[in-house]
Every structure is written in C-alpha cells, then in structure tokens.
Amino acid sequence: MQAKKRYLFLLSAGACLVLLFYFGGVQLPASGRNRHDRSHNGYRPDQPWPHFSDPLQQFLPWDQLDTEEYNIHISPRQKRDVNTSVYKGKRCRMDSCFDFSACKKNDFKVYVYPQQKGEKISESYQNILSTIEGSRFYTTDPGQACLFILSLDTLDRDSLSPQYVHNLKTKVQNLHLWNNGRNHLIFNLYSGTWPDYTEDLGFDIGQAMLAKASISTENFRPNFDVSIPLFSKEHPRTGGDRGYLKYNSIPPFRKYMLVFKGKRYLTGIGSDTRNALYHVHNQEDVVLLTTCKHGKDWQKHKDARCDKDNAEYDKYDYREMLHNSTFCLVPRGRRLGSFRFLEALQAACVPVMLSNGWELPFSEIINWNTAAVIGDERLLLQIPSTVRSIHQDKILALRQQTQFLWEAYFSSMEKIVLTTLEIIQDRVLQQESRSTLMWNSHPGGLFALPQYSAHLGDFPFYYATLGIKPYPKFTAVIHAVTPLVSQSQPILKLLVAVAKSPYCAQVRSHKRVCVMSSRFLPYETIVTDAVLSLDEDTVLSTTEVDFAFTVWQSFPERLVGYPARSHFWDSNKERWGYTSKWTNDYSMVLTGAAIYHRYYHFLYTNFLPASLKGMVDQLANCEDILMNFLVSAVTKLPPIKVTQKKQYKETMMGQSSRASRWADPDHFAQRQTCMNKFASWFGGMPLVHSQMRLDPVLFKDQVSILRKKYRDIERL
C-alpha cells in the first residue's frame, strides 16, 4: 500500500514538472535557444518573472494600444471588436482617456476654441457655445481648462445635410490643443446618412467624449459619453415654456389612452415598427396614425395602405392629440431618437418608449422608470394592454415626473448643455458629486450644488423627504450704511428687538460700502439654517420677528418676509414693470426684512453670473430683486408675505438719511431696468404672483387679546 502511494506521488510530481517546462514556468539556460526568436514571439529574456514589489507599468488607454507589441497579446475577437467599432476609442473610460490633473488646479473650467473666419456654424451650435461662454464654467485661458469644446460645428454629420462641415478630419487634427481628443467634448445630433444611418461622425474622435443624440447602447461608453435628447433648431436657447400640466386631475385619465402621429417609412432602417402600428390602432382611445406622404418620390414606393393611412392621418390635429392623451408612443425613426420624446415630456403625456437599443438621454443620472414606460419593439401588440394595466396612482406620479424632468433639464438648450457639463463635473470631482435623489427630485441637479455640502439635510429642499426640520434658530444679518453717531438711530432699536427673540442665535452687522452683492456672501460665521436679512432702517418688533420665523420653519425653501412688491407686463412698452403699490397681489418680498435659508447665499454667489452681480454692484441697487428671481426660479413658487403693521411703509419712506437708497430719484427707474435684464438672463420671468398673506391664529378675531399668542402685532 505504501509503495503504491509513493508511486502515485512520484507520478504526480513528474506530471507537474512536465507542465511547468511546457508552459515556461521554469526558465532553461539561454544557450541552445535563439534570443531573437524569443523576443519576436513576445518573450523578453531581460524581463524576469514579475514580483509584486516591482513598479507597475504605465497603463495605456485602449485606443493607444494599436501596436505590434500589444496586438500579439490580444485575441482575434478583441482585434475584431476594436477594428469594427464606430469609434476607435470605444473602450475609453474616464480613468483611461481623461487627464484629471488638468482639473485639480483650477476646478472644473471649460475652454471654447476661438471661432475661425470663414467657418460656417449653425444657429443651434452657436447657441450651445454661447451657453458655455455665459456659464460659470467658462474660461478664456486654455491653461486653466479641464474640458475643451470645439468651435467647429459637429452637430450635423449627415453628409447630405446643408449644415455638414467638410474636411472636418483635417481641421480637427490641426488644432494645437487637440491632443488626440483627450479632455475634449464633442456635441452631435445627427450622424450617418441614407440608407444605414450609422453613428460614424466622419472623423476620428480619438479620446474625446461624446454628447450625442440617438446614441445606441452598443456604442455608448458608460460614464464617459453623455446621451442627450434630439432637439429641433426651434428649441429655445434659454428659459423655455413650462410644462403643460396645469392641475392634477383625479383620476388622471384623458380623452385618449395612447396616441402617435408621424411618418411611416416604406423602406430602409426604422420602417418595421411604424409599419406595424396599424395593427394596434382602434380609432377610439388608441390612435396611432402614420403617413407615407413625405419625401420627393414617396409615390414610387407607396403600398396598398398608403392612401387610407394618409386620409386617416389628416383627420386629427397633432397638438390636440398630444395634450389629451395619457400616454404617447415614441417609436424610433430613421435614428433611435425622436422629437416626439421632448414633445411628450412637455405635454405631460407619459412617453412609451419603442426604440430598442437607445441609450435614453442623461441615463447616467435620470431614473426613467419614474417618468416613462420602456417598451420593446418586438412586443408591439402588448403595448395597449400594458398601459391599461398601470394604476392611476402610478400614472399621476409618472405625469408629475415628466413635468419635473422637462423643466429641470430639457426645456431649453441651455439646460441640456449645462446638465451635460454638470454630469462631467460630477465625474471629475467625485467627492463632490450629486446623489441620485438630488438629480431626480425637486429642484434638480442644476440648482442643488454639491460643493455646498455632501449632506442632503443641509439643503432646504429635502427636509420633508428626510423627515427632518431646520435648526430652530436664526442668524440676523443687518446691512449698515450710515455710521453710528447717535443712540437714537433706528439700527439700535432694531438690534434690541432682534436680540430679544428667543429664536435669535447671533446677530451679524455687515458694513455695506459699494459692493451690494456682498450682503449675500456665504459667510462662515452664519451657522444656522435660517438667515434674517435686515436693512439698518427696518422697523420691526420682537413679536413680528418671532412670527415670521415661525412661518418660515414650515416653508424653509421659500422667502418669508414683510415688505412686498410686484411685477407686471407693460404691453405698451413691451417690457416688464416694477411696482411698489400696496395691493392684494405681490410677487416679491424685499430682503430688507425677510427670512430665507442660508443655502441661497451660496447659490447667489456661485450660481449667478458675474455680469448680473456686477450690474447690481455698479447700480448699488436691485440685489433684493435678483435674490427673489433666484429663489422663485429654484422653487417655482412665490414668496410668503406675513402680517405687517400699517406704519411700515410710512416709516421706511420717511427715513431722511441721504444715504438711503429710497431717496435716490433714479432708484425706481433702475429697478425697472434690472427686472428686464434679469428676466433676459433667466430666459423668462420666474417670479410668481400670490395673494396669500399669513396672519397669526385669531388675528383680528373678536376674542380676548389674552388668548392670542402674537397679541402685540394687533397693537402696532
């Protein structure tokens, strides 16, 4: 038995030794072998078996490994994948094709190449470049840039298009900062042409990232490229119309259950799905209409159904269908993307996606399952029963999310471009990136800046979601102009009134010289969530301060205060107007006596462009209007006015100090100008009118004053 064991042991050892020799695990002496042959076959005698203590060799990007030395180590299948890819840098990722060191010195700055004389550029691409140049990311110094944008128009790479830029390959390669596309971003809406419409851009993008519409999941490089929506040249540059959902109807059903109206392709790519839509169309609540009548030679290819389809197609108005349907079908066209996608979002018509292989816009950050139904082209006949089975509560939630996503990321080119840049910034500054909740809930990623805090509880928008409340104290910031020379000055009375409040944590006096925007700097000494902003000539009692803060605790994302103003549209002058008339309608609360969250100091300083803040500083005026614009743009809600004593207006207007802004005859005219300048930058008027005023319980009721908590307000 022992001999048998020894025999088996020797046999196993011998077999292992043979395998080691065979696979090269044991090195034989160099004599008797040709060194040149071994090196040619990929073996290097000067490189011993690697040890863990040896330094790692430099990691090269996939698209730089097209060398003889590299190719001998990859399989034929890998070679095939690389060579047949639409992009040579298909395997690019942020860690292999992006230089992070360029971003650590100057944060996230974006450089746009100067436009070259004689180069044609489309209006859409000019709008993209203008948006970047007007953003807080823009720099004119390429040495400070983390990301580079071409001034050459790359939006339309369909060689049959009049917007097609010829000789782009040579022009790009001649750019002295190109560096094989590293740290470059290329915007593209259309690629390829008839008949196959491939995703080839007609030039080597190298290691550049793509912000591309209609990109397929096959060619999309996760966490490197950005999928953007297909938008028309009429898409607004800034602002954009709000969503069409004016109120939530219960149950959330409309005239039609499912609709579509568009072209039917008789031949070529994209024709299969649309050709089959007539099988589902029932002329009642499922209305799917197609027409063959498009293109120059459509009659040459028309089939037996064309005449009937065309007649049915002309009976319905597209806009009426869009606004009166619960679901909107979004099938692929020649390319994977479709204009129907954004149209459905805006109309609060839940998109039913029917475009297999399409990487949905901003898929890296948006959870589309909360705003759309993702269908399968192969299961077209099941679509009606699928949407009918969705519960009305789910339909309402889907519809509400379409409106949020439309207004947050898609209503203008500016939002699409800025969202693209913010996504890339989150990748670069990973320690300051946004969470999924910040991207997919109000107010959205463009207004929730992660540089402020990594903790959601520090933002005023997520208190309800997290089940928390703001800190129950405030910091009073009093903005002083005149020197303190007398004990009878209003600022001393104001200090006493504020300091008596049990909610006051600290009082900070800010000496205002000529830089008006400095009143909204994110001072580190402000440690409370709430900021009570006061002008030196404000007259408030302790009771009024307490009540305003109590109201703010229920509405921490909004401005809460006393003096109110309003805006209106002057149809004669075709411009926005500003009024201080005391009416039942208002849209602004002046920050001379208002409470708001300290995050708005950070947002005012870091979100708004230098041009607007510079205008405020130059005029020494309008900083309160700009803050109202900002808060209303974020919340989509009006401020909140609280009970105010009648003497307040007369008290403020009666201030005799020459330094008071109210004494300036140009003050009112300047504010009119500010209104229109601000509205232009925001792309529309974000201010919202309101007629609500919040009074204390039992205010002015005919009951004993002793039963009222804020009894002093009625005595003022």
Side-chain angles (χ1 to χ4, degrees):
M1 179 66 80
Q2 302 237 351
K4 187 175 181 181
K5 287 183 177 179
R6 282 197 299 271
Y7 173 76
L8 290 174
F9 175 77
L10 291 173
L11 183 63
S12 300
C16 291
L17 191 58
V18 171
L19 289 173
L20 285 172
F21 277 113
Y22 181 77
F23 288 108
V26 176
Q27 295 185 21
L28 294 175
S31 60
R33 285 202 167 193
N34 189 305
R35 288 178 180 268
H36 175 75
D37 290 342
R38 285 180 294 170
S39 178
H40 180 74
N41 290 326
Y43 173 79
R44 291 184 178 179
D46 57 330
Q47 287 187 349
W49 189 266
H51 299 281
F52 288 111
S53 59
D54 293 341
L56 292 175
Q57 296 182 358
Q58 183 181 3
F59 179 74
L60 294 177
W62 277 98
D63 61 342
Q64 289 187 358
L65 298 179
D66 190 19
T67 63
E68 180 181 354
E69 181 180 352
Y70 169 71
N71 285 334
I72 61 176
H73 292 293
I74 66 173
S75 68
R77 179 178 179 182
Q78 287 177 309
K79 291 182 183 179
R80 230 176 11 251
D81 289 343
V82 172
N83 293 333
T84 60
S85 170
V86 174
Y87 318 120
K88 288 185 178 180
K90 183 176 181 180
R91 297 182 183 275
C92 270
R93 298 297 183 267
M94 293 295 290
D95 57 355
S96 61
C97 294
F98 193 89
D99 182 7
F100 288 88
S101 64
C103 311
K104 295 179 180 178
K105 301 176 184 178
N106 304 290
D107 294 327
F108 186 75
K109 293 296 181 181
V110 182
Y111 175 77
V112 178
Y113 282 83
Q115 295 187 24
Q116 302 176 11
K117 292 183 178 180
E119 288 292 343
K120 65 179 181 180
I121 183 170
S122 64
E123 182 181 356
S124 295
Y125 197 64
Q126 183 62 63
N127 288 337
I128 289 176
L129 299 183
S130 298
T131 294
I132 297 173
E133 292 170 350
S135 73
R136 68 182 188 278
F137 302 118
Y138 179 64
T139 179
T140 57
D141 183 2
Q144 295 183 351
C146 172
L147 191 68
F148 297 82
I149 308 295
L150 301 179
S151 61
L152 297 167
D153 192 344
T154 57
L155 279 188
D156 194 339
R157 299 305 298 155
D158 185 337
S159 58
L160 299 180
S161 170
Q163 301 294 339
Y164 182 79
V165 177
H166 295 275
N167 302 320
L168 194 57
K169 178 179 179 180
T170 303
K171 294 174 182 177
V172 169
Q173 294 297 331
N174 288 337
L175 297 173
H176 68 285
L177 298 173
W178 175 242
N179 192 22
N180 196 30
R182 180 168 284 240
N183 287 46
H184 282 66
L185 176 65
I186 295 174
F187 286 90
N188 176 256
L189 293 181
Y190 306 99
S191 61
T193 188
W194 171 268
D196 51 5
Y197 294 93
T198 66
E199 296 180 39
D200 183 18
L201 270 61
F203 69 99
D204 182 11
I205 67 172
Q207 298 176 16
M209 293 179 286
L210 280 175
K212 190 178 189 316
S214 305
I215 191 169
S216 66
T217 54
E218 179 183 0
N219 289 314
F220 181 76
R221 297 167 293 182
N223 296 315
F224 191 72
D225 293 330
V226 179
S227 176
I228 62 175
L230 183 65
F231 56 85
S232 67
K233 60 182 179 180
E234 290 81 18
H235 204 59
R237 188 180 80 82
T238 60
D241 294 333
R242 298 193 63 176
Y244 296 145
L245 184 63
K246 303 303 181 185
Y247 56 89
N248 294 315
S249 57
I250 304 296
F253 300 116
R254 294 176 172 176
K255 178 180 179 181
Y256 304 108
M257 175 60 68
L258 179 68
V259 300
F260 171 76
K261 186 177 183 182
K263 298 176 182 178
R264 178 162 69 89
Y265 304 108
L266 299 173
T267 59
I269 190 170
S271 60
D272 294 345
T273 301
R274 296 195 180 191
N275 278 342
L277 292 182
Y278 78 98
H279 290 294
V280 185
H281 171 67
N282 65 12
Q283 294 184 321
E284 296 178 358
D285 63 342
V286 177
V287 180
L288 308 179
L289 308 170
T290 59
T291 179
C292 313
K293 196 175 181 180
H294 57 89
K296 297 180 180 179
D297 55 351
W298 69 272
Q299 290 184 329
K300 296 180 181 179
H301 303 285
K302 77 174 194 176
D303 55 21
R305 283 203 347 262
C306 275
D307 291 335
K308 181 180 179 181
D309 287 352
N310 292 344
E312 189 80 1
Y313 184 90
D314 294 334
K315 293 180 181 179
Y316 293 83
D317 178 74
Y318 175 65
R319 291 293 170 187
E320 190 272 336
M321 293 171 60
L322 191 66
H323 297 162
N324 289 280
S325 180
T326 305
F327 296 94
C328 285
L329 196 67
V330 184
R332 64 162 296 152
R334 291 299 194 191
R335 298 176 176 87
L336 292 172
S338 168
F339 293 134
R340 302 292 186 280
F341 180 68
L342 290 186
E343 292 170 350
L345 279 183
Q346 183 181 13
C349 186
V350 180
V352 178
M353 312 307 301
L354 217 59
S355 182
N356 292 8
W358 181 23
E359 188 72 25
L360 295 181
F362 302 141
S363 56
E364 183 176 337
I365 60 166
I366 294 178
N367 179 10
W368 282 111
N369 290 321
T370 64
V373 177
I374 314 299
D376 190 320
E377 293 179 79
R378 298 165 298 182
L379 303 176
L380 171 64
L381 299 181
Q382 297 181 16
I383 294 296
S385 60
T386 299
V387 297
R388 292 183 198 280
S389 67
I390 300 176
H391 194 270
Q392 62 183 26
D393 293 345
K394 176 67 173 178
I395 294 175
L396 182 60
L398 289 168
R399 183 177 294 169
Q400 290 173 335
Q401 192 68 358
T402 63
Q403 300 301 274
F404 160 68
L405 293 176
W406 164 258
E407 294 180 8
Y409 307 120
F410 299 107
S411 63
S412 68
M413 291 187 194
E414 179 186 53
K415 291 179 180 177
I416 294 172
V417 172
L418 292 181
T419 302
T420 301
L421 297 182
E422 294 282 5
I423 290 173
I424 298 174
Q425 180 186 230
D426 275 8
R427 298 173 187 167
V428 173
L429 309 176
Q430 296 180 8
Q431 70 279 8
E432 296 179 351
S433 61
R434 298 164 179 80
S435 66
T436 301
L437 177 63
M438 295 171 80
W439 282 114
N440 289 275
S441 61
H442 182 79
L446 297 186
F447 286 122
L449 303 185
Q451 293 80 12
Y452 171 72
S453 174
H455 180 50
L456 289 175
D458 290 336
F459 295 85
F461 321 113
Y462 311 115
Y463 289 147
T465 302
L466 299 175
I468 61 176
K469 294 181 179 180
Y471 184 69
K473 297 279 186 179
F474 65 79
T475 296
V477 180
I478 302 177
H479 308 277
V481 177
T482 57
L484 188 61
V485 295
S486 170
Q487 294 185 354
S488 62
Q489 287 180 239
I491 189 173
L492 293 179
K493 296 180 181 179
L494 182 61
L495 281 168
V496 172
V498 172
K500 285 183 178 180
S501 172
Y503 304 113
C504 181
Q506 57 181 335
V507 178
R508 175 185 171 84
S509 177
H510 168 60
K511 180 66 176 179
R512 184 173 62 215
V513 187
C514 59
V515 183
M516 302 300 296
S517 294
S518 63
R519 75 181 293 175
F520 296 132
L521 287 174
Y523 297 105
E524 293 182 359
T525 53
I526 301 177
V527 295
T528 60
D529 293 329
V531 176
L532 173 60
S533 177
L534 299 166
D535 284 342
E536 63 174 354
D537 51 4
T538 300
V539 180
L540 288 176
S541 69
T542 303
T543 303
E544 288 175 299
V545 171
D546 291 347
F547 178 63
F549 179 69
T550 302
V551 171
W552 177 85
Q553 287 180 297
S554 298
F555 305 95
E557 76 283 4
R558 295 164 77 173
L559 270 169
V560 175
Y562 288 96
R565 299 291 184 266
S566 188
H567 74 284
F568 63 94
W569 177 253
D570 189 332
S571 56
N572 294 326
K573 297 181 179 180
E574 294 188 343
R575 65 196 304 259
W576 293 105
Y578 171 89
T579 178
S580 59
K581 292 181 179 180
W582 281 38
T583 65
N584 291 329
D585 188 278
Y586 68 93
S587 58
M588 290 173 281
V589 166
L590 302 186
T591 55
I595 300 178
Y596 50 82
H597 198 280
R598 65 173 178 170
Y599 174 63
Y600 291 121
H601 275 203
F602 184 87
L603 204 59
Y604 185 101
T605 303
N606 294 279
F607 177 80
L608 294 175
S611 60
L612 295 189
K613 291 181 288 187
M615 177 183 182
V616 166
D617 295 338
Q618 183 179 6
L619 295 175
N621 195 352
C622 303
E623 80 284 357
D624 49 354
I625 298 178
L626 184 54
M627 177 60 86
N628 273 270
F629 267 69
L630 177 62
V631 177
S632 291
V634 173
T635 63
K636 306 293 189 297
L637 296 169
I640 295 177
K641 177 178 170 58
V642 290
T643 309
Q644 181 180 4
K645 57 178 176 286
K646 294 181 179 179
Q647 296 90 341
Y648 184 86
K649 179 181 179 183
E650 289 76 12
T651 302
M652 288 198 67
M653 299 305 292
Q655 298 293 331
S656 59
S657 171
R658 283 180 172 268
S660 175
R661 289 177 293 162
W662 303 97
D664 186 353
D666 295 329
H667 178 80
F668 191 81
Q670 290 174 349
R671 293 172 82 78
Q672 298 270 20
T673 302
C674 289
M675 292 281 294
N676 290 276
K677 180 70 174 179
F678 298 163
S680 175
W681 186 83
F682 279 92
M685 175 53 69
L687 297 178
V688 182
H689 284 283
S690 176
Q691 294 183 343
M692 181 181 73
R693 188 186 78 182
L694 294 184
D695 298 334
V697 175
L698 301 179
F699 179 72
K700 294 296 184 181
D701 283 2
Q702 299 300 316
V703 297
S704 172
I705 195 73
L706 298 177
R707 298 179 60 186
K708 301 179 181 182
K709 182 177 180 179
Y710 301 100
R711 63 192 69 158
D712 291 343
I713 291 181
E714 297 192 27
R715 297 172 178 170
L716 299 174

